[in-house]
Amino acid sequence: MPHLAEYGALFAAAFLSATIFPFQSEAVLFAMLVAEHYTWWVLILVASVGNILGSIVNWFLGRFFAHFEDRRWFPVKRHQMAKAEVWYHRYGRWTLLLSWVPIIGDPLTIVAGLLREPLRVFIPLVALAKTGRYLAVGALSLGWI
């Protein structure tokens, strides 16, 4: 497959931008789309998969930190966590549709893991949000809208 290294770089940029590291995958995707050397749907697929997997890493980080909620240094007390869990499972899971938003999106995916959102719910919501963002970047870059 031609351009394998470039697709790999896009994947890495998208993966890193979904984690706690500050990175801009949209700029990389935009540049590759306007270069017209690549297949547009493969670029969007690669960026989406990388970004979704980065969010899943965040979910696992949240699950990892949940094991420390009984520690004295943990910033949230158990009764507060229980209240937050009830609220989150009633209303909060839909906030994962905002996981594409810079600054707030990545912490939302960590909170989802911390509050034990099932992966079977987490992945489709995050996939919809992340893929939608890259489709919008693609549509703007290619002049579709």
Side-chain angles (χ1 to χ4, degrees), residues 44-61:
I44 291 172
L45 177 67
V46 167
S48 296
V49 169
N51 212 247
I52 293 163
L53 289 175
S55 293
I56 292 170
V57 167
N58 285 349
W59 183 90
F60 277 107
L61 280 173

Side-chain angles (χ1 to χ4, degrees), residues 23-71:
F23 212 83
Q24 278 294 342
S25 60
E26 293 86 358
V28 176
L29 177 61
F30 177 82
M32 292 178 81
L33 284 166
V34 298
E36 297 182 357
H37 296 294
Y38 312 96
T39 307
W40 69 268
W41 65 268
V42 175
L43 289 174
I44 291 172
L45 177 67
V46 167
S48 296
V49 169
N51 212 247
I52 293 163
L53 289 175
S55 293
I56 292 170
V57 167
N58 285 349
W59 183 90
F60 277 107
L61 280 173
R63 291 291 297 189
F64 172 76
F65 285 119
H67 295 290
F68 298 104
E69 65 187 347
D70 61 338
R71 303 291 168 92

Side-chain angles (χ1 to χ4, degrees), residues 4-5 18 20-21 26 48 51-52 59 66 75 81 84 89 95 100 108 113-114 141 143:
L4 188 58
I20 58 174
F21 299 109
E26 293 86 358
S48 296
N51 212 247
I52 293 163
W59 183 90
M81 270 302 256
H89 288 299
T95 63
W100 65 271
L108 283 174
L114 186 65
S141 303

Side-chain angles (χ1 to χ4, degrees), residues 66-81:
H67 295 290
F68 298 104
E69 65 187 347
D70 61 338
R71 303 291 168 92
R72 189 172 199 180
W73 54 264
F74 196 76
V76 183
K77 302 297 175 223
R78 182 64 212 144
H79 73 281
Q80 294 170 314
M81 270 302 256

